[in-house]
Amino acid sequence: MSDIIKIIIPWGSLPDGILTNIFVFLPIKSIIICTSGSKAWKSLIKNPTFISTHLHHSLNKNQNLLFIGLCSESENQKEFYALHNEDDAYFTQHARFDYPYNRKYSVVGTCNGLLLLSDDTNISFCLRNPCVGKLLKLPSHNITYATHGRFGASIGFGFDPKTKDYKVVRVVTLLGNLDVGKTRPQTFINGALHWVAFRFSDNNIHNFVLVFDLGEEVFHEILLPDFRGHRGLISGTISVYRNSIAFFQKGNDFLHIWAMKEYCVGSSWTKVFSLPLDFFGASDSIQRALVFRRNGEVILKLDGGRLISQDLETREIKDLRIMGYKKTIVDYYVESLVLLDQQ
């Protein structure tokens, strides 16, 4: 006779703490199905406390996903999102989400499983969690072409750990005012948004990193690397680099990659890599660097659209077998239940 005694306990009688410990380990799709199991389960899963607990658990998992916004190669050029597991050698696709909107909207940022969508005018915004199929339309901004004339706008999106809420920031450059910094694509890290920016002062162009602290809601600046007497506008973007930032500088002939080894310490900028733009051939030259992977490799987009990953130490190159397109965006991603509690 077996010494193992099975004790069957009805799920409905389990304490919420035990149910929470079970649910957080389930795949997102299974958790969504569980909301139909009973009113009690639905109430528990859609509670903001559980959603926060699940997010914390997901962030601490070892599964590292990259979000890639792509376009199909068919004639209709349909846009879609793909999640890829960057930990495995084959860069396996983990999930794919179709793009449910027309071309009026595009993804401009990601944070904790949320996508920030902006229209072509950078006036209308939506938040979407493709894992749970939830969409939240945000209020329109009060600066428009009708009220202020032509302007340029750069968008930032991140999580404020103080208020435990998400914030969208729009930095507007009035085209008739040269004293206002013109900004570029954003990077979110350490509770702050970062853009490469410049301003005119004393008849010179001053390049810097514009930083917006989401908790304090204040701007400050970080010096860019010393470019040895370079004058004029610097072409480049900011990326997450471990717990700090990196600067991708694209020159006429070379791509230079700088890493800030100690966050917010300008003297810690170090050039870690330089590569000729035509390294892969004149017809397939480097268009831009997209993002650092967590293993230290950098993802590059070539003129032909191909995405590759290069190890900066060994110089090993991996073809990711992905074709990007004009609006390709690559960013870290975590599957979450954020917005599930929204109606």
Side-chain angles (χ1 to χ4, degrees), residues 81-84 93-97 335:
Y81 322 132
L83 300 182
H84 285 263
Q93 185 178 115
H94 173 76
R96 169 174 167 161
F97 308 103
E335 293 179 308

Side-chain angles (χ1 to χ4, degrees), residues 15-238:
D16 285 354
I18 294 179
L19 284 174
T20 294
N21 289 334
I22 294 173
F23 287 147
V24 294
F25 282 94
L26 297 178
I28 289 279
K29 290 183 178 179
S30 298
I31 296 176
I32 300 299
I33 292 173
C34 286
T35 61
S36 302
S38 71
K39 290 183 178 179
W41 289 8
K42 181 178 181 180
S43 177
L44 172 65
I45 292 171
K46 298 186 78 170
N47 187 289
T49 300
F50 175 78
I51 292 174
S52 178
T53 300
H54 178 269
L55 175 61
H56 180 76
H57 173 78
S58 297
L59 289 170
N60 285 284
K61 281 180 13 179
N62 292 325
Q63 185 180 39
N64 294 323
L65 299 174
L66 277 180
F67 169 88
I68 305 180
L70 295 168
C71 191
S72 65
E73 297 180 12
S74 60
E75 291 184 2
N76 61 7
Q77 293 287 289
K78 186 176 182 180
E79 297 179 32
F80 65 93
Y81 322 132
L83 300 182
H84 285 263
N85 191 333
E86 62 166 342
D87 286 335
D88 89 40
Y90 299 100
F91 210 63
T92 307
Q93 185 178 115
H94 173 76
R96 169 174 167 161
F97 308 103
D98 288 332
Y99 191 77
Y101 315 102
N102 56 33
R103 290 183 177 272
K104 178 181 177 182
Y105 286 90
S106 59
V107 179
V108 294
T110 70
C111 182
N112 292 348
L114 292 181
L115 309 179
L116 175 63
L117 305 170
S118 172
D119 68 354
D120 294 336
T121 63
N122 287 317
I123 294 176
S124 179
F125 299 95
C126 299
L127 292 179
R128 183 181 185 232
N129 184 335
C131 290
V132 300
K134 288 285 186 175
L135 180 73
L136 179 65
K137 185 172 175 58
L138 303 181
S140 297
H141 288 270
N142 57 3
I143 296 179
T144 66
Y145 294 126
T147 60
H148 291 76
R150 295 178 62 244
F151 63 86
S154 294
I155 312 303
F157 174 50
F159 180 73
D160 178 2
K162 289 187 176 181
T163 62
K164 299 188 184 303
D165 202 0
Y166 296 86
K167 294 183 178 179
V168 176
V169 178
R170 186 176 71 152
V171 180
V172 173
T173 303
L174 301 180
L175 298 184
N177 187 349
L178 296 181
D179 293 326
V180 179
K182 181 180 178 182
T183 56
R184 300 170 187 173
Q186 64 104 44
T187 291
F188 174 69
I189 187 175
N190 296 332
L193 302 168
H194 304 71
W195 300 268
V196 177
F198 74 90
R199 65 171 172 270
F200 289 96
S201 178
D202 302 324
N203 295 320
N204 290 315
I205 295 178
H206 296 272
N207 301 277
F208 59 96
V209 179
L210 180 65
V211 183
F212 183 74
D213 186 298
L214 289 180
E216 301 296 329
E217 295 194 349
V218 294
F219 286 98
H220 66 273
E221 300 176 9
I222 296 177
L223 293 175
L224 280 171
D226 182 3
F227 298 117
R228 299 182 182 179
H230 178 92
R231 295 188 170 217
L233 184 63
I234 300 294
S235 177
T237 56
I238 294 293

Side-chain angles (χ1 to χ4, degrees), residues 249-266:
Q249 178 196 2
K250 185 178 179 182
N252 293 328
D253 302 308
F254 281 83
L255 170 69
H256 305 291
I257 298 179
W258 300 76
M260 178 173 268
K261 298 300 180 68
E262 188 176 350
Y263 181 67
C264 273
V265 178

